[in-house]
Amino acid sequence: MIRRETPPGSQSSLREANRARLLETLKRHGRMTQVELAGITGLSPATVSNIVKELVASGVLHTSITSRSGRRATLVSLARQLGLVAGAHFSSRQLHIAISDVTRTVVSQSSLPLPLDHRHDAELDRLALLLGDMMDSLGGATDDLLAVGLALPAPIDPRTGMVSAAGLLRGWENVDIATSLAARIQRPVLVDSEANLGALAEAREGVSRDVPSSVYLRVGHTISAGMVVTGELFRGVNGKAGQIGHVTIDENGPICRCSNRGCLETYAGGPALLSLFPPGEGMRRLSDLIQAAESGDGSARRVIADAGRHIGIAAASLCNLLDPGLIVVGGELAEAGEILMAPMRHSLERTALASGNGLPEIVASSFGEWTETRGAIAAALDAVAFDHVAVDSGVDRATA
């Protein structure tokens, strides 16, 4: 695609910058009224109205009529025909894939179980095939995807695209994962940790959408946190921020997979919880444990509650350091609901520093097992540029 060069500071340059600001806002926040767009972008209502008219005529935006507080308003969104993006989430035991249009409307999704010690080569091959099959069922091909987002159960170094801590995802280490998948599907790929992308999903369209700073705690086979600070993900220098599962709670405790002793995961992670039951009791997966607890099994309920207390203590330390406005809990163990979260709140109340506004609320994730996949879709959308559009000559294909 040929981009038009405009001198900096010119009127054309200013118009392009304003269009880019408006489009970026729609990518981040989804459908909005023109009044809301003016408020968030800082552009005047007249400027917003003119840009919207131009981009509707170009086929980049779509408008419809709605009402706000009983008054007629124009609702603006990206045009669905701009294309499709995909999100995929490799958890420790499950693969989720979803394809959506640019308005985040999911048009196809699929999930399948994974072996416990899955490896990058076999699983990226499988993902490439599944994306091809899903796009074929939609009447397209993988080449039609604008971008793909990928969530993994380990911290990712944003500079290298590799797992940034040894021992946390064996079989995926020392590999530029985004580049490896992009070579298979010939599309742009964005990769991040599952906790970060879970946090991104909640901040963009979930329960923490209106909270400037929040934490997404992913509790399941592994434990990690995604942190949003003033609307942006905080990853740290090497992408290792939020590894709350590897906070030491007993320096003489069991050896963790990270090679340290007494990490939170060794007391509240999925394998640690399941190991408390004799083999004959059939506790092979966290879903078995949760089902037993919901059926009234006292031992299962106690194990989950103890995990909640441990996680709550670690969350209290995180609150003292970060001071978030909200804690969102997701992951497989979050399906236990209040059996897990009530003890978490109790630990938080006992050990976190309270402020005049009280402690952050602890709530369940908005999208259940699909939270991280929706975050991967949001990451894919972030990588797509809709701002280089020749308004006077129709729509160029969006680029990533």
Side-chain angles (χ1 to χ4, degrees), residues 135-362:
M135 287 298 295
D136 182 64
S137 70
L138 294 171
T142 307
D143 288 347
D144 297 319
L145 288 171
L146 299 175
V148 177
L150 181 60
L152 291 174
I156 303 296
D157 189 325
R159 301 166 301 182
T160 66
M162 298 182 185
V163 174
S164 60
L168 299 189
L169 192 58
R170 302 185 193 280
W172 292 75
E173 296 173 349
N174 302 315
V175 177
D176 183 339
I177 299 162
T179 299
S180 184
L181 179 59
R184 288 167 165 83
I185 63 175
Q186 302 301 307
R187 305 309 304 145
V189 176
L190 291 301
V191 62
D192 208 335
S193 72
E194 59 185 3
N196 281 348
L197 293 182
L200 186 66
E202 295 294 344
R204 293 287 175 84
E205 55 177 337
V207 70
S208 58
R209 180 172 180 173
D210 298 321
V211 182
S213 297
S214 60
V215 168
Y216 177 76
L217 279 180
R218 192 176 197 284
V219 291
H221 192 83
T222 61
I223 301 174
S224 55
M227 301 179 291
V228 174
V229 180
T230 60
E232 300 293 335
L233 281 174
F234 178 75
R235 296 181 174 88
V237 175
N238 302 300
K240 293 189 291 185
Q243 289 304 301
I244 193 173
H246 301 284
V247 170
T248 299
I249 61 174
D250 181 2
E251 61 182 13
N252 297 312
I255 295 290
C256 180
R257 63 193 176 104
C258 72
S259 301
N260 289 327
R261 279 191 178 273
C263 294
L264 175 62
E265 274 191 13
T266 65
Y267 290 91
L273 303 186
L274 297 175
S275 71
L276 297 173
F277 295 89
E281 292 195 17
M283 296 290 186
R284 291 185 293 272
R285 290 178 175 266
L286 282 175
S287 57
D288 299 326
L289 176 63
I290 293 168
Q291 184 176 0
E294 291 175 341
S295 299
D297 184 293
S299 298
R301 295 178 70 90
R302 177 61 185 269
V303 164
I304 294 173
D306 286 347
R309 280 188 282 274
H310 288 305
I311 296 167
I313 292 170
S317 297
L318 191 58
C319 288
N320 291 343
L321 290 170
L322 187 64
D323 192 24
L326 185 69
I327 297 174
V328 186
V329 184
E332 299 91 346
L333 194 57
E335 296 298 318
E338 287 301 306
I339 304 173
L340 175 79
M341 289 191 287
M344 285 180 61
R345 294 190 190 98
H346 181 66
S347 290
L348 194 72
E349 291 166 0
R350 286 192 302 108
T351 53
L353 291 172
S355 67
N357 295 323
L359 294 169
E361 188 179 359
I362 296 177

Side-chain angles (χ1 to χ4, degrees), residues 5-18:
E5 296 297 332
T6 55
S10 69
Q11 194 66 26
S12 295
S13 178
L14 179 61
R15 282 198 301 270
E16 285 189 9
N18 289 342

